[in-house]
């Protein structure tokens, strides 16, 4: 099944979605769109990766565009001002590089290196200006991203983002321990941890600068809004698990919903795949119901005042981008070289990582 009639990558090829991964409801009801800034976004993020020394020049040249990191964000945060989208896209690319370094530290059994990085990331998040020139490019890259993201909304949003990302770093530490000690979390343990390692509330937070305003607590915590936000992120995390299961089995992983189902629910591989797919499909249908309630909530905010109209429009913008997340995530998994395990020389070693040094100079 072809993805776009034209691909967002440099080489326009039709993308075939395997039947086991195809979701007709996404293809039919979730129109894929792309921010008009995307071509420049891709170019500037590639430059940023080089300037911040986050990927070797040869890896950037050969793999960066094909990994489609900017495509993912350009398909999500539609309507964002160009500087906001650029900051988000650079941060997202940083996040993928961080995820790869974390993985290599596990594979190469480097707990001390991971401990140093973990500490540096916490510090950079709390005082980014003081870590812009840190010797570890990942620490310096996070500092740069944080400063840029913090420039768009008030300090209360910055504090929330900071709190949420500290939780993500600690979740990565728990994943590090699970993988090095070969602990497969139970399904419920995994689902709770996955909400953090996938950074559900970070990507939801970033809907606000894209919409141009911070949402008050009574909006963000409203059951209809929060339910729609959670379902959009659960879909992304679980569809990622469905698509990356071969890669993660090859890499001797323990963190995947399918792996937890096999280890703790007595399922075989085929049954686990079917169950993950069922959960993914339920996310899609449940989101559509939650979206209707959240849109009604947005309408109720338009109380005849200018503030009410602005808040209602901002909520609608956020909900529209939650919907965009479904199509952007879906096609990303079939266009990005990150998941094309069958094309790798070694199914356990991504070709776009610096495996010899595990990312540390």
């Amino acid at each position: 099944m072809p993805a776009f009639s034209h691909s967002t990558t440099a080489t326009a090829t039709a993308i075939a979605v395997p039947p086991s991964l195809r979701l007709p409801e996404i293809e039919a009801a979730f129109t894929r769109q792309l921010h008009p800034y995307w071509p420049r976004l891709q170019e500037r993020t590639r430059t940023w990766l080089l300037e911040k020394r986050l990927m070797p020049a040869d890896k950037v040249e050969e793999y960066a565009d094909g990994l489609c990191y900017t495509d993912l964000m350009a398909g999500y945060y539609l309507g964002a001002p160009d500087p906001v989208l650029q900051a988000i896209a650079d941060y997202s690319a940083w996040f993928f590089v961080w995820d790869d370094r974390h993985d290599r530290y596990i594979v190469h059994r480097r707990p001390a290196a991971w401990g140093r990085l973990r500490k540096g990331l916490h510090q950079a998040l709390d005082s980014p200006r003081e870590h812009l020139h840190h010797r570890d490019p990942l620490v310096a890259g996070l500092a740069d991203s944080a400063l840029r993201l913090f420039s768009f909304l008030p300090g209360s949003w910055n504090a929330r983002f900071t709190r949420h990302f500290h939780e993500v770093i600690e979740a990565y530490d728990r994943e590090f321990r699970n993988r090095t000690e070969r602990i497969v979390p139970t399904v419920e343990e995994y689902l709770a941890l996955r909400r953090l390692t996938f950074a559900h509330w970070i990507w939801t937070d970033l809907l606000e600068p894209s919409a141009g305003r911070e949402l008050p607590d009574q909006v963000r915590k409203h059951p209809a809004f929060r339910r729609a936000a959670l379902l959009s992120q659960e879909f992304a995390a679980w569809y990622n698990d469905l698509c990356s299961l071969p890669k993660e089995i090859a890499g001797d992983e323990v963190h995947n919903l399918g792996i937890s189902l096999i280890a703790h629910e007595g399922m075989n591989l085929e049954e686990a795949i079917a169950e993950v797919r069922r959960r993914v499909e339920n996310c899609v249908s449940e989101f559509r119901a939650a979206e209707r309630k959240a849109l009604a909530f947005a309408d109720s905010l338009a109380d005849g005042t200018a503030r009410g109209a602005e808040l209602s429009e901002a909520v609608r913008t956020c909900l529209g981008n939650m919907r965009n997340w479904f199509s952007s995530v879906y096609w990303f998994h079939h266009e990005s070289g990150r998941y094309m395990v069958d094309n790798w020389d070694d199914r356990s070693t991504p070709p776009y990582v610096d495996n010899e040094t595990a990312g540390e100079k």
Side-chain angles (χ1 to χ4, degrees):
M1 180 70 185
F4 268 174
S5 57
H6 62 281
S7 175
T8 54
T9 57
T11 55
T13 55
I15 303 298
V17 180
S20 62
L21 300 176
R22 188 181 171 218
L23 299 177
E25 189 171 4
I26 293 291
E27 297 178 13
F30 290 75
T31 303
R32 188 183 186 188
Q33 304 175 73
L34 200 66
H35 197 291
Y37 180 66
W38 172 77
R40 189 172 299 175
L41 181 75
Q42 185 183 55
E43 177 185 344
R44 290 188 174 178
T45 294
R46 192 190 314 123
T47 299
W48 186 79
L49 287 168
L50 285 170
E51 289 177 348
K52 298 301 176 184
R53 299 177 294 118
L54 289 164
M55 290 177 68
D58 60 329
K59 301 289 187 183
V60 171
E61 176 67 25
E62 187 170 359
Y63 297 108
D65 288 355
L67 290 169
C68 301
Y69 296 158
T70 55
D71 306 43
L72 179 64
M73 295 296 110
Y76 184 14
Y77 297 102
L78 293 182
D82 292 355
V84 172
L85 184 60
Q86 187 68 65
I88 292 173
D90 290 351
Y91 169 71
S92 172
W94 174 90
F95 203 114
F96 280 112
V97 175
W98 173 47
D99 186 73
D100 291 334
R101 172 94 74 88
H102 177 262
D103 176 73
R104 292 297 94 187
Y105 279 168
I106 293 168
V107 169
H108 292 291
R109 303 287 175 176
R110 303 185 69 182
W114 163 246
R116 288 191 297 273
L117 176 58
R118 173 192 172 200
K119 180 180 178 181
L121 295 179
H122 279 304
Q123 293 173 337
L125 194 57
D126 285 332
S127 53
R129 199 170 300 279
E130 296 173 15
H131 291 80
L132 285 172
H133 304 290
H134 195 280
R135 64 184 182 86
D136 188 326
L138 270 176
V139 176
L142 177 59
D144 180 82
S145 288
L147 276 179
R148 291 161 65 197
L149 292 172
F150 291 170
S151 69
F152 301 120
L153 292 179
S156 51
W157 183 91
N158 298 347
R160 175 166 30 107
F161 179 94
T162 298
R163 182 176 71 254
H164 285 162
F165 199 65
H166 278 308
E167 293 172 352
V168 171
I169 296 168
E170 286 306 290
Y172 264 68
D173 186 56
R174 293 199 293 279
E175 180 178 337
F176 188 97
R177 293 198 303 272
N178 283 347
R179 287 182 62 189
T180 54
E181 296 172 17
R182 305 297 306 147
I183 298 170
V184 179
T186 67
V187 172
E188 290 308 311
E189 289 170 342
Y190 174 76
L191 294 178
L193 186 57
R194 184 63 162 146
R195 289 180 184 126
L196 293 171
T197 57
F198 198 82
H200 280 25
W201 302 117
I202 290 292
W203 306 119
T204 302
D205 288 338
L206 289 168
L207 291 168
E208 294 169 67
S210 299
R213 65 170 296 159
E214 182 180 20
L215 298 178
D217 283 355
Q218 63 265 33
V219 171
R220 291 188 301 103
K221 295 180 180 180
H222 189 280
F225 184 88
R226 194 166 178 85
R227 178 67 176 161
L230 178 62
L231 285 167
S232 74
Q233 294 298 320
E234 298 280 54
F235 166 81
W238 298 346
Y239 192 67
N240 176 269
D241 280 2
L242 188 64
C243 294
S244 62
L245 188 56
K247 166 189 169 186
E248 292 179 346
I249 288 176
D252 202 25
E253 254 278 24
V254 297
H255 266 238
N256 185 292
L257 178 54
I259 293 171
S260 287
L261 289 165
I262 292 168
H264 294 286
E265 303 294 329
M267 295 186 185
N268 60 33
L269 178 60
E270 291 73 19
E271 291 168 337
I273 290 172
E275 174 60 16
V276 176
R277 182 184 173 94
R278 184 190 69 79
R279 292 178 184 237
V280 166
E281 291 173 335
N282 284 350
C283 276
V284 180
S285 57
E286 290 176 18
F287 172 80
R288 297 181 79 177
E291 180 186 37
R292 287 192 291 272
K293 293 180 180 178
L295 287 170
F297 168 60
D299 288 343
S300 74
L301 294 170
D303 57 4
T305 66
R307 179 185 181 279
E310 291 171 2
L311 189 55
S312 175
E313 183 58 30
V315 170
R316 283 186 162 274
T317 297
C318 291
L319 290 169
N321 281 335
M322 290 177 200
R323 165 173 275 273
N324 290 335
W325 193 223
F326 284 83
S327 58
S328 192
V329 163
Y330 180 71
W331 293 117
F332 169 71
H333 280 86
H334 304 297
E335 293 180 344
S336 173
R338 192 173 181 87
Y339 304 101
M340 297 180 182
V341 183
D342 291 340
N343 296 333
W344 300 356
D345 292 336
D346 177 354
R347 290 172 62 88
S348 66
T349 304
Y352 47 83
V353 300
D354 188 0
N355 191 52
E356 287 72 22
T357 61
E360 195 174 74
K361 301 299 182 186

